[in-house]
Amino acid sequence: QVQLAESGGGLVQAGDSLRLSCAASGRAVSSYAMGWFRQAPGKGRDFVARISGSGLIKRYEDSVKGRFTISRDNAKNMVYLQMNSLKPEDTAIYYCAAVTGGGSITRPDYQGQGTQVTVSS
């Protein structure tokens, strides 16, 4: 079993930055692809970013490319999402996710409880 715990969310203004952190416990996650998805009120899950186990391959949803950066530190069992130039449409609950193989970040093997990000205009 893998437990994931997100932190770093908050209320910010448009144009500000936030750094989300995801702490994994229970077992090493170096063999898992990790990522983030978000869910706004009344909407479904949206993929945000994904990083391979080695950290060498990264993918982003089009609307966050150039603004968000995903990274991981396998030695610390941590995953991060640096979010710059935040926009009101980025407002959502952000979830950390762990998947095996080619699994989908929005339908992960493990996910955290989420952290709220609110961006005011």
Side-chain angles (χ1 to χ4, degrees):
Q1 284 284 354
V2 175
Q3 292 81 44
L4 302 174
E6 304 93 339
S7 62
L11 171 63
V12 297
Q13 293 187 329
D16 286 350
S17 298
L18 279 175
R19 188 195 195 203
L20 304 185
S21 298
C22 173
S25 60
R27 62 183 297 176
V29 294
S30 56
S31 61
Y32 290 82
M34 302 291 293
W36 297 85
F37 66 89
R38 62 189 179 186
Q39 188 164 19
K43 296 188 177 182
R45 296 182 172 191
D46 289 331
F47 166 76
V48 175
R50 178 188 180 113
I51 187 168
S52 64
S54 66
L56 296 178
I57 301 172
K58 303 177 184 181
R59 286 181 47 228
Y60 298 94
E61 192 270 329
D62 285 346
S63 71
V64 308
K65 284 180 181 177
R67 300 188 298 124
F68 291 10
T69 302
I70 189 170
S71 61
R72 67 190 297 163
D73 185 337
N74 286 337
K76 296 182 178 179
N77 244 17
M78 295 289 294
V79 179
Y80 306 97
L81 186 68
Q82 177 66 43
M83 305 187 295
N84 298 329
S85 303
L86 282 161
K87 304 176 181 180
E89 51 263 44
D90 293 319
T91 295
I93 300 175
Y94 283 70
Y95 296 87
C96 179
V99 300
T100 55
S104 169
I105 289 297
T106 55
R107 294 189 298 276
D109 296 279
Y110 304 100
Q111 68 179 72
Q113 293 298 310
T115 185
Q116 176 71 49
V117 172
T118 303
V119 185
S120 64
S121 56

